[in-house]
Amino acid sequence: MDVPRLPGTARLGFARRRDLVLGSLLDRLAELNGDRLLVEEPGGVRWTYVEAAARVRRWSGAVAAKVEPGDRVVIATHNGYDQLLACLAVSRAGALPVPINPQLTPSEVDHVIADSDASLVVRDTDVLDDSSARPPDEAVAAEPGAVAALFYTSGTTGAPKGVELTHRALVGEVGRVAALPPAVLRLDAVLGLPVAHIMGFYVLVAFACAGIPVYLLPRFNPVTVLDAIEDRRPSIFVGVPAMYRMLLEAGAEDRDLSSIRAWGSGADAMPPELALRFKRMGATATLPVIGRPIGQATFVEGYGMVETGGGAVLKVSPPGINRGMGSTALGFPLPGYRLRVLDPDTGKPAGTGHSGELVLRGPGVTTGYWGDEAASRDVMTDDGWLRTGDLARLGPLGTVVFEGRAKDVVKRGGYSIYALEVERAIETHPDVLEAAVVAVPDERMGEVPGAAVRLRAGVELDEAALAAHASEHLAAYKVPVRWLVVDDLPRTATEKVRKHELLSRFTAPNA
């Protein structure tokens, strides 16, 4: 099928549309980009926009034959572009996609299926290749403000919760990048992000809208990524800080990464010195004929979370401008977003320089947690602002300076691990009386979970046994890396564990 490319004004018109929805996105993009390359994966897999749109249409017919509009469909496939296309197909059929990380254990998957009351579970996209199912001619109509998908994340209750994200959150804002002229800029990217993670989903949709082809790896491996950058000479790489640390350990500074014009990071705080090192490995441009790279790359950091549908704040460090790289400022809010810092005592907006909880509002903010009104109320202020659980203070010129996380959460390689969920899993062991989990600093992953446990009298358990038990209930990245068996836990007067004091036991020189 040969779809003629539309003139440049069509890109601008697409970017300005406010009615973009997930189910019709690829149909629209195929009209805009035709046979331009959308994605490549290892093994020779290549999809143009037209080919991918046809795949989504075909799959939407199979979904429509199995579910009703509004039903939830869990996408439990391997990590890859097919997982994104399956989500688009489900949405095109009028149902709600629920993508999940393939690293989850069977019990965690079962929880998501039960909690979302899913009508269909797709574990392999082969089941969607049903030639007998007639695909809808058009995507089922949806309002941009309606819930488009559920992304599950752990919460303070310890059990993963379904975050409701609208079409506007997942498509509406990133659609603006379609005004970029990719054919002129010759942009392309190498990625190794999980599609079911909001950052991976957000980045892939944004690049698709911008007409930026991606080479998507099924899993992140630092050597494979470095090989791909040297061999394919892409202009963009996006990862979480832990990936950058692993790239450095794998010998990034001994490789030719000068094709990179922009490095991107999100999901966790990026160490400024690490970002600067990668800026120097990339380049602003390559001189013609002699092929000599000049200048530095740009480094782009995004701040957001599942509850914001991806990025809400952006910080850009252009080539050659390294002053401020040591700053912890988050950057400036993206269009449509507003930020506030609330005074912890009064709950009212704090003045410049005063610390408090960061709250925000904007087009990507969740409508709530699926089937959990209490949790939905807890995450929003009375006047409709999202509580991020992060501590911050207002800086000059409208910037916000990050000061730490108020929520009891471990950020391991960009993944959020909520302590209570891990503690409850550990405490299912019959010989464990109590567990307390803290975020232990780690040079490679940023943070890793450390668990202190109290055991029944006379019982002896080693780290391997505790880790094996935890692995039966948790995804591998949630299993504690550090363990301490303690006689008692430090507590406050109200019997809460003093986790800051507990953390010092893990970080002591002889720990």
Side-chain angles (χ1 to χ4, degrees):
M1 174 177 170
D2 186 15
V3 178
R5 299 184 187 179
L6 301 181
T9 53
R11 298 201 71 86
L12 188 57
F14 178 90
R16 288 175 173 169
R17 295 191 73 107
R18 297 292 183 181
D19 60 346
L20 295 174
V21 294
L22 203 59
S24 61
L25 177 66
L26 211 47
D27 286 336
R28 299 269 185 92
L29 289 175
E31 294 174 0
L32 190 65
N33 294 288
D35 291 319
R36 293 187 66 245
L37 180 65
L38 172 66
V39 60
E40 287 186 84
E41 292 180 318
V45 175
R46 289 170 56 93
W47 296 102
T48 66
Y49 280 85
V50 167
E51 291 168 338
R55 194 178 185 90
V56 169
R57 284 195 295 273
R58 185 171 72 253
W59 286 357
S60 70
V63 174
K66 300 174 186 294
V67 303
E68 298 294 327
D71 284 357
R72 277 70 60 203
V73 178
V74 169
I75 311 296
T77 63
H78 68 280
N79 187 58
Y81 214 85
D82 272 0
Q83 192 171 38
L84 174 62
L85 297 183
C87 289
L88 300 182
V90 169
S91 185
R92 195 175 190 278
L96 299 186
V98 186
I100 59 175
N101 193 322
Q103 293 189 57
L104 297 184
T105 64
S107 62
E108 290 172 310
V109 174
D110 289 343
H111 168 78
V112 173
I113 294 170
D115 188 76
S116 65
D117 191 21
S119 299
L120 176 65
V121 180
V122 178
R123 300 181 187 274
D124 192 315
T125 54
D126 286 348
V127 303
L128 301 179
D129 281 316
D130 182 0
S131 58
S132 65
R134 186 175 184 275
D137 293 332
E138 299 287 341
V140 173
E143 291 296 323
V147 176
L150 303 182
F151 280 75
Y152 269 76
T153 181
S154 299
T156 54
T157 61
K161 299 193 297 293
V163 180
E164 301 172 351
L165 295 176
T166 66
H167 294 278
R168 186 176 293 117
L170 295 172
V171 182
E173 295 307 300
V174 296
R176 298 184 184 192
V177 299
L180 296 174
V184 175
L185 298 179
R186 298 183 183 279
L187 300 174
D188 56 345
V190 165
L191 303 174
L193 295 166
V195 177
H197 189 286
I198 189 60
M199 179 180 171
F201 194 96
Y202 179 88
V203 169
L204 287 177
V205 170
F207 282 178
C209 290
I212 298 173
V214 300
Y215 182 69
L216 182 63
L217 298 166
R219 64 185 61 83
F220 176 82
N221 177 287
V223 174
T224 303
V225 169
L226 293 173
D227 288 343
I229 293 175
E230 281 195 319
D231 295 342
R232 303 180 67 86
R233 310 300 294 163
S235 51
I236 301 171
F237 173 79
V238 181
V240 301
M243 292 179 179
Y244 283 95
R245 294 185 184 96
M246 287 186 273
L247 289 173
L248 201 61
E249 292 175 6
E253 291 177 313
D254 297 324
R255 298 291 200 106
D256 179 6
L257 310 183
S258 59
S259 68
I260 299 292
R261 303 292 179 257
W263 302 98
S265 180
D268 201 356
M270 183 73 182
E273 65 282 357
L274 187 58
L276 179 56
R277 291 174 77 170
F278 276 89
K279 283 186 67 176
R280 290 169 175 163
M281 292 182 222
T284 305
T286 300
L287 294 175
V289 183
I290 63 174
R292 178 182 174 184
I294 58 172
Q296 297 178 339
T298 295
F299 206 100
V300 180
E301 297 176 65
Y303 170 84
M305 56 195 69
V306 180
E307 288 84 352
T308 63
V313 183
L314 201 65
K315 178 180 178 181
V316 180
S317 175
I321 301 178
N322 299 321
R323 295 184 63 183
M325 284 292 288
S327 170
T328 55
L330 294 176
F332 293 93
L334 290 169
Y337 283 90
R338 296 171 60 196
L339 309 180
R340 284 181 181 173
V341 175
L342 300 184
D343 184 284
D345 297 321
T346 66
K348 297 180 179 179
T352 300
H354 293 279
S355 298
E357 183 182 10
L358 177 66
V359 299
L360 58 82
R361 68 190 310 170
V365 170
T366 178
T367 59
Y369 296 112
W370 181 262
D372 196 334
E373 293 184 6
S376 300
R377 288 193 300 269
D378 288 344
V379 80
M380 304 297 291
T381 65
D382 292 338
D383 53 353
W385 292 69
L386 175 72
R387 295 185 180 276
T388 68
D390 289 331
L391 301 175
R393 59 183 169 83
L394 292 177
L397 303 176
T399 59
V400 174
V401 180
F402 179 74
E403 293 193 329
R405 281 179 288 276
K407 292 180 179 178
D408 197 5
V409 61
V410 182
K411 283 280 191 175
R412 180 180 184 179
Y415 287 106
S416 295
I417 305 170
Y418 286 81
L420 187 57
E421 180 187 6
V422 182
E423 289 163 358
R424 288 186 173 177
I426 296 169
E427 288 171 356
T428 61
H429 193 292
D431 293 322
V432 173
L433 295 175
E434 186 179 14
V437 172
V438 296
V440 181
D442 183 83
E443 289 185 0
R444 189 180 193 191
M445 303 302 292
E447 294 175 348
V448 294
V453 297
R454 292 194 303 115
L455 302 176
R456 295 186 183 278
V459 170
E460 291 186 5
L461 288 175
D462 58 19
E463 293 184 12
L466 290 166
H469 176 76
S471 297
E472 295 175 3
H473 302 273
L474 300 166
Y477 67 87
K478 298 179 184 179
V479 175
V481 174
R482 301 282 302 279
W483 296 86
L484 286 177
V485 176
V486 298
D487 294 327
D488 203 359
L489 295 168
R491 300 180 183 278
T492 66
T494 56
E495 296 300 310
K496 292 183 179 179
V497 176
R498 294 182 181 271
K499 291 201 170 181
H500 181 73
E501 183 177 332
L502 182 61
L503 177 60
S504 65
R505 301 188 188 183
F506 287 91
T507 57
N510 297 323

